[in-house]
Amino acid sequence: MLRINTEGAATLRKKLSDIEKRQLPFATAKALNRTAWEVKKAEVEAMMSDFDRPTRFTLNSLFIKHAKPNRLESVVWVKDYASKAQAPTRWLLPEVMGGSRGQKRSEALLSGKGILPGGKALMPGKGMALDSHGNVSRGQIQKILSGLGAQGDKHANSTDSKRSVGNSKRFFVLGKGSTALGIAARTGKRTVKMMLAFGGTPSYGSKLDFFGIANRVIRQRLPDEMRRALDEAVLSAR
């Protein structure tokens, strides 16, 4: 986690006037927050250049915890929550820290049904249509989960039940001998397409230099933002 704070505050306080001393906590909080926004902006720009067609969800995956006069520290980090999707910490942190990505919800559901073998992950098959970002759509995943009885929805209505019957006839686990290879779809009487293949869990090297980017921005911007905020605070106090 990236934390932005100031050093040498005691030394600075000795050099300031009484008005400046009273305004220092407010000015420092303002400078830290302005710098945090610059850090976040730089990180998003890096994602746009370093990642392959990042989604809006990815570009909005950072948050700022703002500094206050009584808590002189700003935090810029990856969100650990999401309303209808996997939390960004599960898949973005491996791009920052390196390592294996966490298991997706669809993978957990399929593992729970005994469909996805242990240690395996889902990857698009040759028959899977991808969106403009190179990802499998949520709707397509839901159809597959529905067809395999792994959607995890205990409150499906009658329309969903009818749809599940159709999906169950279309999607099935394709294997070779006793080895499950992936999930296929029947596209005709004698034709099938591989939709999702079972492969090894992806492992990443550090692709986003999160801390390096942040440190450069802090060195460049924090001193100027501190001077600017202090000038503003002194003027407003007179």
Side-chain angles (χ1 to χ4, degrees):
M1 183 176 293
L2 176 73
R3 303 178 184 272
I4 307 173
N5 50 41
T6 58
E7 296 179 355
T11 302
L12 176 61
R13 187 179 291 272
K14 292 179 181 179
K15 299 180 180 180
L16 300 176
S17 66
D18 289 340
I19 292 178
E20 290 171 328
K21 289 177 183 178
R22 291 197 298 271
Q23 295 297 318
L24 182 59
F26 300 93
T28 303
K30 183 180 288 188
L32 290 171
N33 291 333
R34 286 173 173 171
T35 303
W37 277 105
E38 292 299 326
V39 168
K40 182 180 177 184
K41 178 182 175 182
E43 300 289 2
V44 171
E45 290 174 350
M47 289 183 198
M48 293 176 68
S49 62
D50 295 346
F51 294 168
D52 180 20
R53 294 167 291 172
T55 64
R56 184 178 297 276
F57 186 65
T58 296
L59 298 178
N60 289 332
S61 61
L62 304 182
F63 75 91
I64 296 175
K65 183 178 181 180
H66 291 94
K68 298 180 180 180
N70 63 346
R71 188 184 60 80
L72 296 177
E73 179 182 81
S74 291
V75 175
V76 183
W77 197 230
V78 183
K79 296 175 182 176
D80 62 356
Y81 58 89
S83 59
K84 296 182 180 180
Q86 192 178 41
T89 47
R90 298 288 301 277
W91 44 265
L92 185 56
L93 280 188
E95 300 284 6
V96 175
M97 314 297 291
S100 300
R101 70 157 170 79
Q103 192 177 49
K104 297 180 179 179
R105 179 176 179 275
S106 56
E107 292 169 338
L109 290 171
L110 290 170
S111 294
K113 283 288 185 178
I115 296 172
L116 182 66
K120 296 293 185 178
L122 299 176
M123 56 186 62
K126 292 183 178 180
M128 177 65 76
L130 303 179
D131 64 19
S132 59
H133 298 284
N135 299 321
V136 180
S137 72
R138 183 188 299 272
Q140 193 68 268
I141 289 292
Q142 288 301 319
K143 288 180 181 179
I144 293 173
L145 293 176
S146 170
L148 298 175
Q151 68 269 46
D153 185 359
K154 298 179 181 179
H155 306 287
N157 57 36
S158 58
T159 301
D160 291 331
S161 298
K162 292 177 182 178
R163 186 181 299 116
S164 296
V165 172
N167 289 332
S168 66
K169 294 180 180 179
R170 181 183 179 196
F171 298 106
F172 65 99
V173 177
L174 181 66
K176 185 177 182 180
S178 61
T179 302
L181 301 178
I183 299 170
R186 295 180 179 88
T187 57
K189 291 184 177 180
R190 297 182 180 180
T191 57
V192 298
K193 288 184 178 180
M194 179 68 84
M195 307 300 287
L196 294 171
F198 299 159
T201 302
S203 183
Y204 305 98
S206 179
K207 192 171 184 179
L208 178 65
D209 186 17
F210 186 93
F211 297 103
I213 293 167
N215 286 330
R216 286 193 293 273
V217 173
I218 293 168
R219 288 196 302 268
Q220 293 169 1
R221 297 303 298 267
L222 185 56
D224 288 342
E225 294 295 353
M226 190 67 218
R227 285 189 287 268
R228 174 187 169 198
L230 189 56
D231 287 344
E232 293 172 352
V234 172
L235 286 173
S236 66
R238 291 175 180 172

